[in-house]
């Protein structure tokens, strides 16, 4: 079966993120690998996902756990081999899953041959492949740009007697996208993987590709305008308006080239736009039309603040304002943030409701491994920390390791079935009873709700690709319509611990999604919602005199 015939397969898709170090260890060294992924792909297929996104598995010194690439065209021996990757592709496609890989194009490792050559002199063939700049007359850094991981984003190199730019670790020098040869080389990387069978890419830090050629200082950002959407509050990175070190308009032309390269393969890309002030606006710029990226990752539901009905309504109002002709990929959790069950202090009931809500939103969806189990954030002791970000800002920011601990597969096995050896991060005791093996035997487990919710989404085109209108907040109840020419669905979500009563507009509404706990309105068009309850209604266009009815989630 050809899984890439439909060029629009990505629109409304459910993408399951795999963090390979922590998914499944097949060779017993305590670190997850590609053959481990192969063995567990049936679990992802059973959820009803459309695709997997695999975080980096390329050769790397692992200073940033694979986001510092030293060879774009191979697999790190830690994770296996290219033959193992081919097996991932073959197995995923057999199961009906598409495969997206994480391309880290904005920077490489300082161990990449390109950088080793670039730093060797000022006149070698790759001298301009990275962002080099002379010091100021007093020897200080070229400007005030800051690294996401703390401190200046410039590092002195004694070979060239110049500074190089690094938006992240000093061992992650930024590539110079103003150099045409760099763009060509990176497009060749994408071509290599497309020809190997991948169905698309997740593009790390896509708005960091280009920098201001004049290296102008970023202006300060007033304290009252700062937020922690993309960097923890203790990070001085939040003190600037990042208008020169990233977010440059020339980036659009590179995205067009990449889209053109993907088009013959019907491949798709989701870009990660990291910007605390203009994230959705940039997302709109990068995904509008049919010659840029298909979709971009949004941080609005990944921040630490509670996800209230009003917050969601405000976000979608902003999407309508600045990205109405773009396409968003939503996520509640990933490998860089505290798991949302902990972040929002969720109960099983509220976790179910947020899962249902996610499947009803306009956009595509990213699920992070383990969220279908309701995994809380792991408490990782300082002595067990691996993440340089957490080590730098401990204890105010404990880093990202708490969301990266191994996936629990078997609650009765050593290390919850992840590995027979000591894992690279410990499996927390709080995760054993939430393991897949336990959830499979418990009809009330969150895992089954995720399966039902994803199946429900798949069965309704209005939820996958329809318009989203009439976003309304009544107390703590969020409501909206999803609509195509053939289907209209009305959604209500009570995002609180208290019961709520809201009116239902006139119409011949049939209650659907009883398997998700959907409540039925009364004949007088009043809807009583229990705490953390949803109601999902389908407009019956064929029986104008028909009374409301259908499945009742309370039965």
């Amino acid at each position: 079966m050809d899984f890439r015939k439909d060029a629009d397969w990505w629109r409304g898709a459910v993408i399951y993120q795999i963090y390979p170090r922590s998914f499944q260890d097949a060779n017993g060294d305590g670190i997850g690998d590609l053959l481990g992924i192969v063995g567990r792909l049936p679990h992802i297929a059973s959820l009803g996902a459309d695709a997997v996104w695999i975080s980096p598995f390329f050769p790397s010194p692992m200073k940033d756990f694979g986001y510092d690439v030293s060879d774009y065209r191979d697999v790190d021996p830690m994770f296996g081999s290219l033959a193992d990757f081919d097996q991932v592709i073959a197995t995923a496609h057999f199961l009906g899953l598409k495969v997206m890989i994480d391309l880290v194009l904005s920077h490489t490792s300082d161990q990449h041959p390109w950088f080793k050559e670039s730093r060797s002199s000022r006149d070698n063939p790759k001298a301009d492949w990275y962002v080099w700049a002379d010091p100021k007359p007093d020897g200080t850094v070229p400007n005030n740009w800051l690294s996401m991981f703390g401190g200046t984003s410039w590092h002195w190199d004694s070979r060239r007697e110049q500074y190089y730019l690094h938006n992240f670790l000093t061992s992650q020098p930024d590539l110079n996208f103003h150099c045409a040869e760099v763009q060509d080389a990176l497009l060749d990387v994408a071509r290599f993987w497309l020809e190997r069978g991948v169905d698309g890419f997740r593009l790390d830090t896509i708005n960091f590709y280009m920098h201001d050629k004049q290296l102008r200082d970023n202006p300060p950002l007033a304290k009252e305008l700062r937020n922690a959407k993309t960097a923890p509050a203790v990070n001085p990175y939040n003190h600037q308006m990042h208008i020169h070190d990233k977010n440059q308009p020339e980036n659009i032309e590179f995205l067009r080239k990449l889209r053109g390269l993907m088009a013959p393969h019907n491949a798709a890309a989701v870009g990660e736009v990291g910007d605390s002030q203009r994230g959705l606006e940039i997302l709109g710029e990068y995904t509008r039309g049919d010659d840029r990226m298909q979709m971009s990752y949004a941080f609005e539901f990944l921040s630490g603040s509670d996800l209230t009905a009003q917050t969601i309504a405000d976000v979608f109002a902003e999407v309508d304002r600045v990205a109405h002709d773009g396409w968003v990929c939503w996520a509640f959790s990933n490998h860089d943030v505290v798991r949302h069950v902990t972040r929002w202090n969720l109960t099983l009931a509220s976790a179910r409701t947020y899962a249902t809500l996610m499947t009803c939103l306009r956009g595509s969806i990213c699920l992070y491994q383990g969220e279908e189990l309701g995994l809380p954030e792991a408490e990782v002791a300082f002595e067990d920390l691996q993440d340089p970000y957490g080590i730098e800002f401990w204890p105010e920011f404990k880093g990202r390791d708490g969301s990266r601990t191994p996936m629990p597969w078997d609650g009765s096995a050593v290390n919850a079935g992840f590995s027979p050896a000591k894992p690279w991060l410990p499996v927390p005791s709080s995760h054993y009873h939430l393991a897949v093996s336990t959830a499979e035997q418990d009809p009330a487990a969150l895992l089954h709700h995720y399966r039902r919710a994803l199946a429900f989404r798949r069965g309704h085109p209005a939820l996958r690709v329809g318009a989203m209108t009439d976003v309304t907040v009544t107390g703590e109840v969020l409501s909206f319509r999803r609509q195509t020419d053939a289907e209209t669905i009305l959604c209500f979500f009570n995002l609180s611990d208290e019961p709520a009563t809201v009116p239902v507009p006139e119409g011949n509404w049939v209650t659907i999604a009883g398997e998700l706990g959907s409540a039925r309105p009364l004949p007088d068009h009043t809807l009583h919602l229990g705490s953390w309850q949803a109601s999902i209604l389908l407009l019956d266009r064929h029986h104008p005199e028909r009374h409301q009815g259908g499945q009742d989630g309370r039965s």
Side-chain angles (χ1 to χ4, degrees):
M1 180 178 180
D2 183 351
F3 296 106
R4 293 179 290 176
K5 286 182 179 178
D6 179 9
D8 268 353
W9 66 263
W10 52 271
R11 195 178 295 274
V14 176
I15 303 166
Y16 186 99
Q17 182 194 353
I18 297 172
Y19 192 70
R21 292 181 72 93
S22 298
F23 198 57
Q24 178 68 67
D25 172 20
N27 67 356
D29 64 355
I31 297 171
D33 44 47
L34 294 180
L35 289 182
I37 293 172
V38 169
R40 295 299 187 180
L41 284 172
H43 167 76
I44 301 171
S46 79
L47 277 177
D50 299 292
V52 294
W53 145 30
I54 307 175
S55 291
F57 50 80
F58 314 105
S60 166
M62 298 294 165
K63 298 289 181 63
D64 191 26
F65 297 101
Y67 285 89
D68 49 327
V69 178
S70 57
D71 183 351
Y72 282 114
R73 298 173 184 241
D74 206 349
V75 173
D76 193 290
M78 173 188 301
F79 297 123
S81 65
L82 282 170
D84 295 341
F85 179 78
D86 293 340
Q87 189 62 40
V88 171
I89 293 285
T91 305
H93 286 176
F94 176 77
L95 294 169
L97 293 166
K98 296 177 178 65
V99 177
M100 307 178 79
I101 65 171
D102 208 328
L103 281 189
V104 188
L105 303 182
S106 69
H107 53 266
T108 69
S109 164
D110 60 1
Q111 299 305 304
H112 196 292
W114 296 349
F115 186 69
K116 290 181 176 181
E117 183 174 352
S118 185
R119 79 189 313 183
S120 66
S121 69
R122 295 193 184 198
D123 58 3
N124 67 78
K126 291 184 173 57
D128 295 329
W129 279 42
Y130 292 80
V131 185
W132 295 96
D134 291 327
K136 289 180 178 177
D138 62 358
T140 55
V141 295
N143 59 29
N144 71 344
W145 297 352
L146 296 173
S147 162
M148 180 74 85
F149 285 176
T152 177
S153 63
W154 296 98
H155 189 73
W156 180 252
D157 185 83
S158 58
R159 298 166 185 80
R160 290 179 52 141
E161 296 188 31
Q162 285 183 306
Y163 287 99
Y164 66 82
L165 179 68
H166 62 92
N167 276 298
F168 298 91
L169 295 173
T170 58
S171 57
Q172 293 171 297
D174 273 60
L175 284 160
N176 178 17
F177 274 71
H178 293 290
C179 174
E181 291 178 344
V182 168
Q183 293 195 25
D184 290 344
L186 294 174
L187 291 171
D188 278 344
V189 168
R191 184 178 294 109
F192 172 84
W193 291 104
L194 288 168
E195 291 174 352
R196 202 151 197 116
V198 304
D199 303 289
F201 305 110
R202 184 264 190 183
L203 299 170
D204 187 62
T205 58
I206 191 173
N207 57 316
F208 284 75
Y209 289 175
M210 292 277 187
H211 66 282
D212 173 40
K213 273 188 172 182
Q214 300 178 51
L215 304 183
R216 287 171 287 188
D217 280 353
N218 284 327
L221 182 65
K223 189 172 184 179
E224 61 271 16
L225 298 177
R226 299 172 194 163
N227 64 61
K229 285 181 185 176
T230 58
V234 295
N235 192 340
Y237 189 84
N238 294 319
H239 296 204
Q240 293 184 355
M241 293 178 63
H242 293 277
I243 61 174
H244 295 309
D245 54 347
K246 59 184 182 182
N247 305 331
Q248 300 305 293
E250 303 99 308
N251 201 23
I252 299 292
E253 287 307 310
F254 177 75
L255 300 184
R256 287 194 174 110
K257 293 176 185 177
L258 182 55
R259 178 68 178 261
L261 179 66
M262 292 189 296
H265 300 268
N266 283 351
V270 52
E272 179 198 32
V273 173
D275 191 85
S276 294
Q277 277 66 50
R278 296 180 54 234
L280 288 176
E281 180 183 343
I282 297 164
L283 181 150
E285 293 173 0
Y286 285 8
T287 60
R288 69 170 53 109
D290 58 3
D291 64 345
R292 305 180 187 188
M293 295 299 93
Q294 285 87 350
M295 49 189 165
S296 274
Y297 207 58
F299 281 81
E300 274 61 28
F301 298 157
L302 290 165
S303 66
S305 54
D306 289 344
L307 195 60
T308 64
Q310 190 61 58
T311 298
I312 297 167
D314 290 346
V315 167
F316 275 91
E318 183 70 1
V319 170
D320 284 344
R321 189 179 72 83
V322 300
H324 60 93
D325 51 355
W327 195 260
V328 185
C329 191
W330 301 108
F332 291 160
S333 288
N334 69 18
H335 64 293
D336 282 335
V337 300
V338 173
R339 287 184 176 275
H340 70 274
V341 164
T342 298
R343 218 166 63 237
W344 301 332
N345 193 28
L346 300 187
T347 62
L348 179 57
S350 52
R352 284 194 189 108
T353 299
Y354 278 119
T356 305
L357 170 64
M358 170 78 92
T359 61
C360 291
L361 296 178
R362 182 178 187 269
S364 299
I365 296 172
C366 270
L367 306 179
Y368 179 51
Q369 63 183 49
E371 79 168 77
E372 73 274 21
L373 306 176
L375 295 186
E377 183 80 353
E379 286 291 332
V380 181
F382 182 78
E383 56 268 25
D384 291 326
L385 279 189
Q386 305 290 324
D387 181 19
Y389 205 178
I391 293 169
E392 175 71 22
F393 288 104
W394 179 277
E396 287 75 19
F397 173 64
K398 295 182 178 180
R400 302 165 295 180
D401 287 338
S403 64
R404 298 177 175 183
T405 54
M407 180 82 169
W409 295 103
D410 183 347
S412 64
V414 62
N415 299 317
F418 166 72
S419 173
K422 181 182 178 181
W424 76 284
L425 280 174
V427 180
S429 57
S430 60
H431 286 190
Y432 278 77
H433 76 284
L434 296 170
V436 173
S437 63
T438 305
E440 290 286 11
Q441 302 303 315
D442 179 5
L446 187 62
L447 171 63
H448 303 294
H449 184 86
Y450 266 81
R451 285 176 176 151
R452 291 189 291 266
L454 296 188
F456 179 72
R457 177 183 176 90
R458 185 185 289 266
H460 290 280
L463 298 181
R464 287 187 285 112
V465 299
M468 182 168 168
T469 60
D470 299 338
V471 181
T472 304
V473 177
T474 307
E476 290 300 323
V477 176
L478 174 75
S479 62
F480 52 84
R481 283 179 196 248
R482 300 297 314 280
Q483 188 166 334
T484 62
D485 290 342
E487 187 178 48
T488 298
I489 294 177
L490 185 59
C491 303
F492 295 86
F493 294 91
N494 181 13
L495 303 181
S496 77
D497 294 325
E498 301 299 325
T501 301
V502 293
V504 175
E506 292 289 331
N508 299 293
W509 300 105
V510 177
T511 307
I512 56 176
E515 70 274 21
L516 302 179
S518 178
R520 179 192 298 170
L522 297 176
D524 64 357
H525 294 276
T526 300
L527 177 63
H528 296 291
L529 293 170
S531 64
W532 298 104
Q533 188 173 25
S535 177
I536 303 176
L537 311 176
L538 176 69
L539 183 63
D540 186 349
R541 303 180 181 185
H542 303 294
H543 300 86
E545 303 302 324
R546 182 173 174 173
H547 197 270
Q548 294 171 2
Q551 295 176 316
D552 185 351
R554 292 175 179 271
S555 61

